[in-house]
Every structure is written in structure tokens, then in C-alpha cells.
């Protein structure tokens, strides 16, 4: 980095915020628990598709690619790959050559971001042996992980200030960062040897060609330890990235505004997950607690969210969509498809934050006392082998995969966000209730009707005169609209009608959907 004195530190930190998306892409998609062969196929399907049936010009975060404990066979538990035993790639999850091939194949149009589990190893109660996905010997009871290697002195057992070794008080930052989280063995990242081993693993992935990392459980790591690891990381591979590019960092920090550990503590090392986003937006779209979409006029920092240029935002993620973590029943998911598409549409249309779209799988829901007791189920599988992500004729997914990123409404709103990127929020309109509309400069306009009555009104769009394809009800293909058409007059105004019973109660147009 060619900066001087204090500027060298500032420049290094700022570099972590660049997501390195291709061609001005503005979103990433979490292909949760996808096999790497299917990730590669999705990249190829996107680059070969005129209609962008995968996520346009963004990136694909992966599930953790390293060695992990095998839990609850034959079903394979959802949290399995968050219980690592090695700091390297291996034959089943997958091997280096396959992993490198998948990444290389993706770099025509998208980037790869790896979910990095660096806070902990597997649970203490997991039986010792070689039953991991890579076959390396490990013994959680004696803290022996021969594949790294790690031993007892590489864990925070002696630093934990609770009697049980578990986090007993979440108002004590030292316990949160030095004690076991759900019996997971907490790595001593304050130790240079441990930092080096973690950095070696991440550098291997950087050298292969990944664009960055999501740091799992970053809240449970001291910010200074994350910074120390980052200083050990290589620059990105110059085969795909400009000289001197630093890996992108997204840090998982849960801060609902009342937590003793604050998101702001992690602003210096990269983007931070804004969990209040999905909770607040879900409450508004559900119309709970008297909330109305009209109140979203000052959405963003005005709602107590972290600064936009530090925020990774999402409607749901792999944890809270199944009731794990924060948010509870306020979180909108694919199970509530009509409301969910509206929430994701709003997120992708609004300029706040850097957006992430979820791509999920189904599980057999079974409720007892209001709780889904099957929410731990892992991905679709045949006797433990994860199933292929198959693609239906209508471009949606089969074989038990949800693939929200392929839903026309979400796919086209990602394209909308790319088109309006950099444009300010403009021409806000609301009816004082749950009908709202806004533009993005002179590039795009979106209208929502979340009321119990129909919307019929003329609105100022700010767009050039012409006929536009609504990208929610259809696509623009070969100069024709497969869905509704919206005519914008010479003064920029247009007539909109949305029934309160519409399956997708919103309309979106942008300059590239103009006939």
C-alpha cells in the first residue's frame, strides 16, 4: 500500500469495504449450503443467459469450505459446517483442485466470498476420532486438532471468566469474546500462532482467487484480533483483481442497539451485518405494532441503523429465517412469499446499505408449542449426500431448493438496483398508510400497495417519457413486455393501479425496462 504515515492505516481499513463485485454489481447472494459444483453451474448459467436467470453482476458467498464435524446423519444438521476441525480444504468439502476450478469458472461475471469460521472449533462434546468430513484426527476434550495443529494452549479456556466456561453473561464483553459459545471451543486469537494459522487458511483461499470473507461470529472476537489477522492477509490475486486490492470483509455482529458490544467497534475492519434492518422492515411489512410503510420515508440512519456505508443489509439470513438468533417471528422469509418479495423489493430499491439476497432450501416444518422443531434440518440430501440444485423449465429450482434469487421479482429487482446505482432517493409519495412510492433519480421508480384497499393514482416518476415494462409482473424480452406496461408522459407522471389482492402488490420500472 503506497500511503504514508497515518494514512497507511486509514487506507488499509477503507480497503476492506470494497466488495469487488463485477461490472458495478450492487448485491451478493448467499447460496446457502450449495455444493461447489452447483455454484459453478450457477455462474455458468448466468453468464450464458441473456435474461440473467442468476444474480446479475454480483457475488456468491459460500458456506464454509473447510473440514467440519459431521452432525446428525443421515439428515446432516444445518449448523454442521460451522464446527470446523481443520484450517485447510479437503477431499469432501471440497479438495483444492475442485474448489479452485469452481472459483475460476465463476470469475467471468461474479465473485466468490467465503464464510470464514475463525472464532472457534467444534463443540467440546463431539466424540474424538477421525469422523470429520476430511478424515483428520481430532479430540475436542483434550483440545487436540492434529490437522492444524492446535493444542490446549491455543484456546481461551484459561482466559474465560465464567465458572462453566460458557458465556453466562452477555453484558460482559470479555465473556462474550473469551468463553465458549454453545459449547464451541473458543480459539485464542490473541495468540500470534493462532492468528497465523487462521491467516494461512484465509491466504490459501485468497491465492486461489476469492474476493473476500464473511467473518462468522465476529462479535465473539476482539476487534483488535480481527485487525491483527487482516494485517497477515495477502492482497487479492492479480489475475482477477487490480494490483494492491485487499480482501472484502463482512463481519457478523448482532447489535440491536441495547447490546454492550457495539457494531461501531468493528467499523475499522470492514462492513458489519445490520440485524436491525430485517427486524424493523419485517415489522413494518407485517403492519405489526402500528407500523406503516409511510413511516419508511426516513429509512436508514433515521431508524437507528448503522451508517449506510458500513452496513451489510438483508431481509433474512440462514439463521433467523429458521428462528435461530434474533428477530423471531418478525423476520420475513420465503414461507411468507407475498410479503417477503415486497420486503426484498423495498430493500433492493432503496439506496441504504450493501444488500445481500438469501437463497434457501426447504425443510419439513413441524410445530410444537409454536416452535418449528425441524428448523435444524440440513440441506436436501440422499443419505447424507447433498442433492444437486436442479433448474425447472420456468427457471426456478427443484430438488428441495428454494432459490429466492431466481424468483423473477427478486432477480429483476437486483437488476433494478444495478441500474439505479448512485442515484438519490427522489419523488417520495405515500398515502399516510401502507401505499408508498419513490424514485431513484431519473433512473427508476417503484410503487407498493400493502393496504387492504386498492391503489389507483397518478404519480411523478422522474423518468423520461415512454412505455416501460413492469419488471415485477414480467420481463422485457426482445422489445416486448411479458407483464404489465406503464406509460410515462412527457412531464414524468404515470398512472398506477395495484389491487390489494395482487399476488405481487408492487410495480417497478427503470430506464432499461423502457421499450
Amino acid at each position: 500500500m503506497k500511503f504514508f504515515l497515518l494514512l497507511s492505516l486509514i487506507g488499509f481499513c477503507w480497503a476492506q469495504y470494497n466488495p469487488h463485485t463485477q461490472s458495478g454489481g450492487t448485491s451478493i447472494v448467499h447460496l446457502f449450503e450449495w455444493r461447489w459444483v452447483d455454484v459453478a453451474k450457477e455462474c455458468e448459467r448466468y453468464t450464458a443467459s441473456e435474461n440473467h436467470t442468476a444474480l446479475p453482476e454480483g457475488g456468491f458467498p459460500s458456506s464454509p469450505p473447510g473440514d467440519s464435524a459431521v452432525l446428525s446423519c443421515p439428515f446432516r444438521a444445518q449448523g454442521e459446517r460451522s464446527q470446523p476441525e481443520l484450517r485447510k480444504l479437503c477431499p469432501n468439502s471440497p479438495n483444492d483442485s475442485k474448489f479452485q476450478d469452481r472459483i475460476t469458472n465463476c470469475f467471468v461475471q461474479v465473485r466468490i466470498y467465503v464464510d470464514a469460521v475463525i472464532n472457534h472449533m467444534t463443540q467440546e462434546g463431539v466424540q474424538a476420532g477421525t469422523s470429520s468430513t476430511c478424515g483428520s484426527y481430532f479430540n475436542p476434550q483434550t483440545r487436540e486438532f492434529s490437522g492444524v495443529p492446535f493444542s490446549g494452549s491455543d484456546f481461551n479456556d484459561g482466559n474465560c471468566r465464567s465458572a462453566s466456561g460458557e458465556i453466562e453473561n452477555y453484558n460482559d464483553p470479555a465473556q462474550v469474546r473469551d468463553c465458549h459459545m454453545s459449547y464451541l471451543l473458543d480459539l485464542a486469537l490473541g495468540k500470534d500462532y493462532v492468528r497465523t494459522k487462521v491467516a494461512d487458511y484465509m491466504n490459501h483461499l485468497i491465492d486461489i482467487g476469492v474476493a473476500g470473507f464473511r467473518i462468522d461470529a465476529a462479535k465473539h472476537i476482539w476487534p483488535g484480533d480481527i485487525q491483527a489477522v487482516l494485517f497477515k492477509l495477502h492482497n487479492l490475486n492479480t489475475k482477477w483483481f487490480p494490483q494492491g486490492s485487499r480482501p472484502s470483509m463482512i463481519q457478523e455482529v448482532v447489535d440491536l442497539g441495547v447490546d454492550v458490544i457495539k457494531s461501531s467497534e468493528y467499523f475499522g475492519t470492514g462492513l458489519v451485518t445490520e440485524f436491525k434492518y430485517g427486524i424493523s422492515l419485517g415489522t413494518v411489512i407485517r403492519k405489526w405494532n402500528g407500523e406503516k410503510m409511510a413511516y419508511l420515508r426516513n429509512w436508514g440512519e433515521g431508524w437507528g441503523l448503522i451508517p449506510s456505508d458500513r452496513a451489510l443489509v438483508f431481509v433474512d439470513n440462514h439463521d433467523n429465517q429458521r428462528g435461530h438468533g434474533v428477530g423471531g417471528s418478525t423476520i420475513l422469509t420465503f414461507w411468507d412469499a407475498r410479503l417477503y418479495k415486497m420486503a426484498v423489493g423495498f430493500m433492493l430499491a432503496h439506496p441504504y446499505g450493501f444488500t445481500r439476497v438469501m437463497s434457501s432450501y426447504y425443510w419439513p416444518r413441524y410445530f410444537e408449542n409454536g416452535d418449528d422443531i425441524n428448523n435444524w434440518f440440513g440441506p436436501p440430501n440422499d443419505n447424507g449426500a447433498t442433492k444437486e440444485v436442479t433448474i425447472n423449465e420456468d427457471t426456478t429450482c427443484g430438488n428441495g431448493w428454494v432459490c429466492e434469487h431466481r424468483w423473477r421479482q427478486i432477480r429483476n429487482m437486483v437488476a433494478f438496483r444495478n441500474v439505479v446505482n448512485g442515484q438519490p432517493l427522489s419523488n417520495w409519495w405515500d398515502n399516510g398508510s401502507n401505499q408508498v412510492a419513490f424514485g431513484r433519480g431519473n433512473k427508476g421508480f417503484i410503487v407498493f400497495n400493502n393496504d387492504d384497499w386498492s391503489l389507483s393514482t397518478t404519480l411523478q416518476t422522474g423518468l423520461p417519457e415512454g412505455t416501460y415494462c413492469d419488471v415485477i409482473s414480467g420481463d422485457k424480452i426482445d422489445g416486448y413486455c411479458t407483464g404489465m406496461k406503464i406509460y410515462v408522459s412527457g412531464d414524468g407522471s404515470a398512472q398506477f393501479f395495484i389491487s390489494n389482492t395482487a399476488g405481487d402488490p408492487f410495480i417497478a420500472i427503470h430506464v432499461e425496462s423502457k421499450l
Side-chain angles (χ1 to χ4, degrees), residues 243-255:
Q243 185 78 29
S245 296
R246 297 295 297 166
S248 171
M249 291 294 159
I250 297 169
Q251 301 162 101
E252 185 194 27
V253 179
V254 179
D255 175 13

Side-chain angles (χ1 to χ4, degrees), residues 18-24 43 47 58 96-113 203-212 235-247:
N18 184 353
H20 305 296
T21 53
Q22 282 276 35
S23 307
C43 292
T47 57
D96 281 3
S97 61
K98 287 184 179 180
F99 187 79
Q100 186 160 359
D101 287 345
R102 305 314 176 212
I103 291 176
T104 301
N105 289 344
C106 272
F107 277 158
V108 178
Q109 288 290 346
V110 297
R111 303 299 198 197
I112 294 290
Y113 310 88
N203 279 330
H204 181 56
L205 296 169
I206 290 170
D207 293 346
I208 289 174
V210 302
N235 289 339
L236 297 181
N237 192 318
T238 55
K239 183 175 181 180
W240 297 286
F241 301 95
Q243 185 78 29
S245 296
R246 297 295 297 166

Side-chain angles (χ1 to χ4, degrees), residues 134-193:
C134 286
S136 58
Y137 178 78
F138 66 101
N139 188 333
Q141 290 75 40
T142 61
R143 311 305 193 250
E144 181 182 358
F145 294 87
S146 60
V148 183
F150 282 148
S151 61
S153 62
D154 300 319
F155 293 87
N156 270 327
D157 299 302
N159 297 324
C160 175
R161 302 196 307 202
S162 75
S164 65
E166 286 287 300
I167 302 170
E168 298 173 356
N169 179 10
Y170 270 84
N171 289 317
D172 181 351
Q175 281 196 30
V176 173
R177 286 152 170 165
D178 292 336
C179 299
H180 298 171
M181 174 186 65
S182 301
Y183 303 100
L184 295 164
L185 300 180
D186 198 75
L187 282 168
L189 280 167
K191 184 179 177 181
D192 189 66
Y193 171 78

Side-chain angles (χ1 to χ4, degrees), residues 220-483:
H220 296 270
I221 306 172
W222 293 97
D225 291 343
I226 295 178
Q227 184 71 273
V229 171
L230 296 193
F231 274 114
K232 291 177 178 289
L233 298 186
H234 298 167
N235 289 339
L236 297 181
N237 192 318
T238 55
K239 183 175 181 180
W240 297 286
F241 301 95
Q243 185 78 29
S245 296
R246 297 295 297 166
S248 171
M249 291 294 159
I250 297 169
Q251 301 162 101
E252 185 194 27
V253 179
V254 179
D255 175 13
L256 302 185
V258 296
D259 296 76
V260 66
I261 293 176
K262 303 299 182 186
S263 296
S264 57
E265 298 178 51
Y266 296 84
F267 288 170
T269 43
L271 298 178
V272 179
T273 53
E274 177 50 285
F275 278 85
K276 297 191 296 293
Y277 190 100
I279 295 171
S280 297
L281 188 57
T283 302
V284 172
I285 299 295
R286 291 187 187 278
K287 298 185 281 191
W288 288 357
N289 303 331
E291 295 288 0
K292 301 176 180 179
M293 289 192 73
Y295 301 160
L296 296 173
R297 176 186 288 267
N298 66 335
W299 180 243
E301 289 94 335
W303 276 64
L305 306 182
I306 64 177
S308 178
D309 61 353
R310 298 294 184 265
L312 186 282
V313 299
F314 46 93
V315 172
D316 64 329
N317 76 351
H318 62 290
D319 282 326
N320 61 22
Q321 73 170 195
R322 49 187 29 87
H324 303 169
V326 297
S329 58
T330 63
I331 300 299
L332 286 166
T333 73
F334 65 86
W335 296 111
D336 303 295
R338 184 175 185 270
L339 297 181
Y340 183 74
K341 285 181 282 187
M342 246 198 309
V344 176
F346 183 91
M347 175 184 75
L348 293 170
H350 197 278
Y352 176 84
F354 185 71
T355 54
R356 183 178 66 197
V357 173
M358 187 65 198
S359 190
S360 316
Y361 58 81
Y362 295 101
W363 65 89
R365 301 182 95 185
Y366 183 79
F367 289 91
E368 286 186 2
N369 301 319
D371 295 324
D372 182 359
I373 64 173
N374 283 345
N375 60 23
W376 58 271
F377 266 57
N381 68 90
D382 288 319
N383 294 320
T386 300
K387 288 184 178 181
E388 176 187 6
V389 179
T390 57
I391 307 300
N392 303 321
E393 288 187 7
D394 64 357
T395 76
T396 60
C397 291
N399 234 2
W401 299 93
V402 180
C403 297
E404 298 96 315
H405 72 289
R406 281 182 158 267
W407 294 0
R408 180 189 65 251
Q409 301 85 348
I410 293 176
R411 161 175 47 88
N412 284 348
M413 282 307 302
V414 171
F416 179 104
R417 188 173 187 84
N418 291 342
V419 171
V420 304
N421 186 29
Q423 295 293 311
L425 191 73
S426 59
N427 294 306
W428 177 276
W429 170 89
D430 65 70
N431 69 341
S433 185
N434 290 290
Q435 297 176 1
V436 303
F438 60 89
R440 294 291 303 278
N442 62 355
K443 293 294 184 72
F445 193 75
I446 192 165
V447 187
F448 296 87
N449 179 20
N450 198 26
D451 271 329
D452 296 329
W453 57 90
S454 295
L455 177 154
S456 182
T457 190
T458 299
L459 299 172
Q460 175 55 241
T461 69
L463 299 183
E465 180 180 6
T467 300
Y468 293 76
C469 299
D470 167 37
V471 297
I472 304 305
S473 60
D475 296 291
K476 175 187 171 185
I477 298 178
D478 297 329
Y480 294 93
C481 300
T482 64

